[in-house]
Amino acid sequence: MYDPTVARLTYRALLGRRRAAILFVLPALLLVIAAAVRMFAGADDQIAANVLGGFAIATMVPLIGVIAGTGAIGPEIDDGSIVYLLAKPVKRPTIIFTKLIVAIAVTMVFSALPTFLAGLILNGNGQQIAVAYTIAALVASIAYSALFLLLGTVSRHAVVLGLVYALVWETLFGSLVEGARTLSVQQWALAVAQKVAGGDAVTSDVGLPLATVLLVVVTTAATWYAGQKLRTLKLAGEE
């Protein structure tokens, strides 16, 4: 199910000069914000939770997921270079699974690691806040990568659709409409983090059992459907 050649090509595409520069911006900004907050406000558990929850989990992780998830396959479909990959003797679900693994790895590195470092800067992992939000970033990276890889497979406007989901649905509707939070990857990830953190530093509007089920179902379904959609892409010689 994992093809090293496909993985290498995907890593090369995702970590090219321009895309890598974009990937570094948000983590760097998070660390700068964390350092500034610690300098002016000192070590405060609630402030640390607010910064990590409000910027790292709500903004940075989904945006990096959009870049990595859609970038793992979308550009190849848009410019037609995917036909060269599909012409190889590699099963199409294998292509999707390999690209998903790469997208998850990239999203985790550029989101979970900076989240942990920011947490240490903000309050030295008091109440396990740094670890809790790092786990939330790791969990969210998996679901976001699967969702946005699917969007990259089915739509030429995957980046726009991904931004709409991440910034409009989760951030705007999630803050205004209580029921919308149930369909939020952010809330599912926070439910896992809530189990790790001490006290009330991390909260979620979704219970842990439901969040776990939804994370598994959405990730699995998105990966399977992306593989099915890739099967329907016909090469010129197959018409």
Side-chain angles (χ1 to χ4, degrees):
M1 290 297 293
Y2 181 85
D3 188 276
T5 302
V6 175
R8 185 173 63 253
L9 293 173
T10 307
Y11 275 118
R12 186 180 303 171
L14 284 179
L15 300 178
R17 185 178 303 175
R18 184 171 59 181
R19 189 168 279 111
I22 298 174
L23 287 171
F24 275 108
V25 169
L26 289 172
L29 181 58
L30 173 63
L31 295 177
V32 169
I33 291 174
V37 169
R38 178 62 185 266
M39 182 183 302
F40 291 108
D44 185 281
D45 294 343
Q46 189 57 54
I47 292 177
N50 291 341
V51 172
L52 295 180
F55 183 79
I57 303 302
T59 302
M60 183 185 72
V61 179
L63 289 181
I64 291 177
V66 169
I67 296 170
T70 61
I73 195 169
E76 291 177 294
I77 294 177
D78 290 341
D79 63 20
S81 61
I82 190 71
V83 298
Y84 299 104
L85 183 58
L86 298 180
K88 303 296 182 181
V90 181
K91 294 181 179 179
R92 297 185 184 187
T94 298
I95 295 174
I96 288 295
F97 183 77
T98 302
K99 287 182 174 293
L100 174 63
I101 294 300
V102 173
I104 289 173
V106 170
T107 306
M108 284 182 171
V109 168
F110 283 93
S111 62
L113 181 57
T115 298
F116 180 69
L117 294 176
L120 293 181
I121 293 171
L122 286 164
N123 76 332
N125 195 36
Q127 293 194 59
Q128 294 292 304
I129 288 175
V131 171
Y133 278 104
T134 299
I135 290 174
L138 291 170
V139 170
S141 295
I142 299 172
Y144 280 133
S145 295
L147 280 174
F148 298 140
L149 179 64
L150 172 60
L151 288 179
T153 305
V154 302
S155 174
R156 291 182 178 272
H157 307 290
V159 174
V160 174
L161 294 175
L163 292 175
V164 168
Y165 173 79
L167 301 180
V168 177
W169 177 264
E170 291 205 338
T171 303
L172 180 59
F173 281 91
S175 62
L176 298 176
V177 183
E178 185 174 349
R181 298 169 192 162
T182 305
L183 299 178
S184 167
V185 173
Q186 175 188 334
Q187 293 298 323
W188 304 342
L190 288 175
V192 180
Q194 186 178 16
K195 185 70 175 179
V196 178
D200 298 323
V202 184
T203 59
S204 173
D205 294 306
V206 182
L208 181 59
L210 177 60
T212 303
V213 171
L214 289 172
L215 283 166
V216 172
V217 169
V218 167
T219 302
T220 303
T223 304
W224 174 82
Y225 191 60
Q228 295 301 113
K229 292 300 292 184
L230 196 61
R231 286 177 184 271
T232 66
L233 285 178
K234 298 294 183 180
L235 305 180
E238 294 177 337
E239 299 291 349

